[in-house]
């Protein structure tokens, strides 16, 4: 299939964790600072990886119906609690743990994110399409200066990506047919789910999302409409 | 009750039609232009008033359960169709009618709206809380430069204000207790519903929303936390 053009694309919806923001570096830094306050020397990157490792399993129980709808802030907090002993953080009290949990609201954007989004916003409706809860996404955007037109995600639909209600629900709320919406993500799996439902797809390389030894999502694994080095490159390709 | 202070307010949620934008003047202008194209001299203000007069009745059928969930774009379009003969617009074809219906996506802000919101956004999360559907609100914001942090409204909850799910659902999505959220509206009824659920309230005067002979909402009819002449005055009172 020849790559379709830009014609007809009205909205870009973005995966957030990893695609827009560097969760690993941000969480590592905040976790090390929190540990330091209680006199613990923490390997922040290993801690961030462990926290994130329970991301999919914790959502999978909700997706499968083993657990009723639960927002990501709560899933994150439970995982943190479970990890504390393993990383020597048993002395981290409830208030400090709550604050560290909210580090997910304070993730730093990649260097190209804010400028790239500002360019893309000139031509397209730009929205999140994330498994993060709304408050997390709103707080993150305000701190980082992410200029969303709209904040959409799992919570509005009480489903977690890649469940189809999230992608189709976003198109519906934006008043658009799926083919007028392009999913932008650094993850082939997210794009595959979107493409199967008729959305367009843009793969953005984030080769250090998981650190220097990253092995996944280093290249496009599907016939995506666009593949870009970063958001500036995507804006170039979309001619904005 | 003494007026509570600012302490603890984290988010401001705004009624949109009338509070942020001048629907009457905008619709009058667009309707006159559409009529002119088919050779009809229309009283745009009378037409706008007639269109808006069916706003509450059309939502009331949805609220009461006589009709399943239906977005405002559809309710507006049906009202327009019903009004066409009465205003000599029977010759307005489907494409022109669809375009005129989308005039509700192109309403102009009051002169103080954009600057006031920009100030308020420095200190608070600012969101819509409107009966408009999401696409309408997003398109309006993009055209008018309304700098929302978040676009919330009836559609996300499939309920129309003043149904409580809309106010409480917004607080929940923002991760806040009702008392940390302040409803900003030019309509006493909207504020009464919000206050009964524990939200704070700010009344903003829009004495010409319904034209020069406006008789409703010319003064605060409740014990609201703030009463302001416009968004600049509200920003002054909130010290941002």
């Amino acid at each position: 299939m020849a790559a379709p053009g830009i014609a007809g694309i009205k909205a870009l919806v973005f995966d957030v964790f990893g695609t827009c923001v560097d969760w690993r570096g941000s969480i590592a830094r905040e976790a090390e600072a929190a540990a330091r306050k209680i006199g613990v020397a923490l390997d922040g990157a290993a801690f961030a990886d462990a926290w994130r490792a329970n991301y999919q399993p914790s959502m999978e129980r909700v997706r499968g119906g083993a657990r009723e709808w639960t927002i990501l802030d709560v899933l994150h907090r439970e995982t943190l609690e479970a990890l504390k002993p393993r990383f020597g953080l048993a002395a981290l009290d409830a208030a400090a743990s709550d604050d560290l949990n909210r580090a997910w609201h304070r993730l730093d954007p990649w260097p190209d994110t804010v400028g790239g989004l500002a360019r893309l916003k000139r031509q397209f409706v730009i929205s999140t399409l994330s498994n993060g809860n709304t408050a997390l996404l709103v707080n993150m955007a305000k701190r980082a200066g992410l200029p969303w037109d709209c904040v959409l995600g799992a919570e509005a639909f009480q489903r977690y990506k890649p469940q189809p209600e999230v992608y189709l629900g976003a198109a519906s709320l934006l008043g658009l047919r799926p083919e007028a919406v392009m999913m932008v993500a650094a993850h082939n799996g997210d794009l595959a789910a979107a493409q199967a439902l008729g959305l367009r797809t843009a793969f953005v390389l984030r080769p250090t999302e998981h650190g220097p030894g990253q092995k996944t999502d280093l290249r496009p694994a599907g016939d995506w409409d666009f593949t870009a080095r970063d958001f500036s490159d995507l804006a170039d390709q979309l001619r904005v």
Side-chain angles (χ1 to χ4, degrees), chain A residues 13-14 62-63 67-72 127-134 137 150-176 181 183 190 197 199:
Chain A
V13 296
F14 292 76
V62 178
R63 290 191 193 106
R67 180 172 189 177
E68 67 178 2
W69 173 251
T70 307
I71 65 171
L72 192 61
S127 175
T128 60
L129 195 60
S130 168
N131 281 334
N133 43 294
T134 306
L137 296 168
C150 192
V151 172
L152 298 175
E155 192 179 12
F157 312 107
Q158 304 210 347
R159 295 286 187 284
Y160 278 118
K161 289 191 295 179
Q163 291 182 297
E165 292 88 346
V166 184
Y167 306 93
L168 296 178
S172 173
L173 282 180
L174 294 173
L176 298 171
V181 180
M183 181 82 216
D190 203 356
L197 297 164
L199 283 77

Side-chain angles (χ1 to χ4, degrees), chain A residues 170-209:
Chain A
S172 173
L173 282 180
L174 294 173
L176 298 171
R177 287 182 302 196
E179 61 266 32
V181 180
M182 183 153 75
M183 181 82 216
V184 181
H187 309 122
N188 285 290
D190 203 356
L191 297 179
Q195 188 178 65
L197 297 164
L199 283 77
R200 315 246 207 141
T201 49
F203 180 72
V204 177
L205 281 160
R206 296 297 189 196
T208 60
E209 175 188 355

Side-chain angles (χ1 to χ4, degrees), chain A residues 94-231:
Chain A
S97 299
D98 289 346
D99 183 62
L100 179 54
N101 197 56
R102 287 174 65 93
W104 291 95
H105 297 216
R106 298 184 294 259
L107 303 178
D108 289 330
W110 299 109
D112 54 281
T113 297
V114 173
L117 289 178
R119 286 178 62 193
L120 294 164
K121 183 183 170 110
R122 286 185 218 146
Q123 183 74 24
F124 303 100
V125 169
I126 59 168
S127 175
T128 60
L129 195 60
S130 168
N131 281 334
N133 43 294
T134 306
L136 180 158
L137 296 168
V138 168
N139 293 337
M140 176 197 292
K142 231 170 150 65
R143 176 182 172 278
L146 309 179
W148 303 121
D149 290 310
C150 192
V151 172
L152 298 175
E155 192 179 12
F157 312 107
Q158 304 210 347
R159 295 286 187 284
Y160 278 118
K161 289 191 295 179
Q163 291 182 297
E165 292 88 346
V166 184
Y167 306 93
L168 296 178
S172 173
L173 282 180
L174 294 173
L176 298 171
R177 287 182 302 196
E179 61 266 32
V181 180
M182 183 153 75
M183 181 82 216
V184 181
H187 309 122
N188 285 290
D190 203 356
L191 297 179
Q195 188 178 65
L197 297 164
L199 283 77
R200 315 246 207 141
T201 49
F203 180 72
V204 177
L205 281 160
R206 296 297 189 196
T208 60
E209 175 188 355
H210 294 278
Q214 180 165 326
K215 296 200 165 42
T216 55
D217 291 313
L218 292 173
R219 56 193 63 81
D223 186 17
W224 314 135
D225 297 305
F226 296 89
T227 293
R229 288 187 308 279
D230 58 24
F231 285 6

